[in-house]
Amino acid sequence: QDFLALTKIGIVNSNLITAFTGLWLAFQFSDRHFLQELDILVYTLVGSALIIAGSAAMNNYIDTDIDPLMASKKSRPTVTGRFKPSAVLALALSFIVIGEIFLFSASVSAGIFGIAGILAYVVLYSMWSKRRHVSNTIVGSISGAIPPLIGWAAVEPALGMGAWALFLIMFVWQPPHFYALAMKRTEEYRAAGIPMLPVVKGFHRTKKSMLAWVLLLFPLPFLLMDLGIGFIILATLLNVGWLTLAIKGFKVEDDLKWAKTMFIYSLNYMTILFVSMIIFAVFV
């Protein structure tokens, strides 16, 4: 359990879904069969899992000074002392290097996008923006949007519109998702001195931002017209549901309960949307 907490297995799993979606759509749109290229699938998924887990462990290593100040982070092995900092650093770097070897074995482009994702999460987010800027969540969204590009690039190094559509969907999805989580943990972030939007600007301003980001999602499914009208309808219904919930946030009495509902909806939204892409791609 300590190992899974260190590598943030939940984040690894969710990002693998998006990486696989990118890979799957690239196979489908290029009329290639994944069963004939299982090596690419294995290299991509194993490599992606390792660099994401390694980057997450590196984030824990970087945050050893602030995690003890946050109740939700106190069970991390870097806080409890179950893992020594030197061991965490060695594990993180090993995972990243081995993961990159796998990704470069899939394609050079996949390896390069893997490096871009690592730098975006470890350097741009964890080391730079997280503690300095209220826009840290938006900066962090760059790394979270790269896994589908890695998956696509492993099959088709020259990325098409579909790959960038997945990137944009993931990028826009993340701010309202993480703002909901930040609202739930506002006092923890305040205690740790992290300038998250709810801490700096308050709940009402955060709700406005969440509403704006949800609205930005509406046109993005139309970039994936190749998946058919059924996908467009499903994606639009998911967007309408999230928009309705976001608007209700301005009238609720319990902000934290609403934030929890928004967070849960966002998780279901991402899972349903990306799984549906995989399914619809089979029938187009």
Side-chain angles (χ1 to χ4, degrees):
Q1 287 187 350
D2 281 337
F3 174 77
L4 295 179
L6 181 70
T7 55
K8 302 184 182 179
I9 192 62
I11 291 177
V12 173
N13 290 337
S14 61
N15 279 281
L16 277 182
I17 293 174
T18 66
F20 177 78
T21 302
L23 181 139
W24 181 262
L25 294 189
F27 271 128
Q28 296 296 317
F29 291 163
S30 60
D31 293 322
R32 291 158 62 180
H33 204 291
F34 76 97
L35 288 177
Q36 297 173 351
E37 302 181 67
L38 282 175
D39 55 335
I40 291 180
L41 185 146
V42 172
Y43 289 148
T44 305
L45 295 184
V46 173
S48 297
L50 287 172
I51 67 165
I52 295 165
S55 298
M58 186 66 78
N59 173 263
N60 281 357
Y61 174 79
I62 294 168
D63 287 349
T64 49
D65 60 328
I66 59 175
D67 282 348
L69 303 175
M70 301 181 66
S72 61
K73 310 282 181 71
K74 286 184 177 179
S75 61
R76 283 182 173 177
T78 45
V79 177
T80 61
R82 295 286 294 275
F83 281 24
K84 294 181 179 179
S86 57
V88 173
L89 181 60
L91 178 77
L93 293 176
S94 298
F95 273 26
I96 287 172
V97 171
I98 297 171
E100 277 299 311
I101 291 173
F102 272 96
L103 290 182
F104 273 106
S105 298
S107 80
V108 173
S109 290
I112 291 173
F113 277 113
I115 292 173
I118 294 164
L119 293 176
Y121 185 66
V122 176
V123 179
L124 289 182
Y125 174 67
S126 299
M127 297 177 68
W128 174 62
S129 67
K130 182 176 181 178
R131 306 182 189 213
R132 292 178 175 84
H133 304 289
V134 71
S135 59
N136 54 15
T137 302
I138 299 171
V139 173
S141 297
I142 298 171
S143 59
I146 287 179
L149 295 185
I150 295 174
W152 196 294
V155 179
E156 287 290 327
L159 301 178
M161 174 61 73
W164 293 109
L166 297 181
F167 174 87
L168 288 173
I169 289 170
M170 278 305 300
F171 178 79
V172 175
W173 169 83
Q174 286 173 93
H177 167 75
F178 283 111
Y179 286 152
L181 182 62
M183 285 180 67
K184 291 166 56 184
R185 298 177 177 174
T186 296
E187 295 309 315
E188 292 184 43
Y189 283 117
R190 195 189 310 278
I194 305 300
M196 301 298 287
L197 186 62
V199 175
V200 178
K201 302 289 186 178
F203 282 0
H204 187 73
R205 173 66 173 77
T206 302
K207 290 177 181 180
K208 285 184 177 180
S209 291
M210 293 167 78
L211 177 63
W213 284 103
V214 171
L215 283 170
L216 286 176
L217 281 168
F218 273 77
L220 299 183
F222 292 91
L223 298 176
L224 292 166
M225 289 294 291
D226 288 344
L227 291 178
I229 191 64
F231 169 74
I232 302 299
I233 292 172
L234 174 61
T236 301
L237 289 175
L238 287 172
N239 286 334
V240 169
W242 205 359
L243 177 64
T244 302
L245 189 57
I247 292 172
K248 287 182 178 179
F250 294 97
K251 298 180 181 180
V252 296
E253 295 182 2
D254 190 335
D255 287 330
L256 297 184
K257 183 178 180 180
W258 172 82
K260 181 178 180 179
T261 304
M262 283 286 282
F263 180 74
I264 294 172
Y265 189 95
S266 68
L267 289 174
N268 290 322
Y269 176 99
M270 190 273 287
T271 304
I272 294 170
L273 189 68
F274 276 79
V275 171
S276 71
M277 291 179 193
I278 294 169
I279 296 171
F280 280 108
V282 176
F283 298 102
V284 294

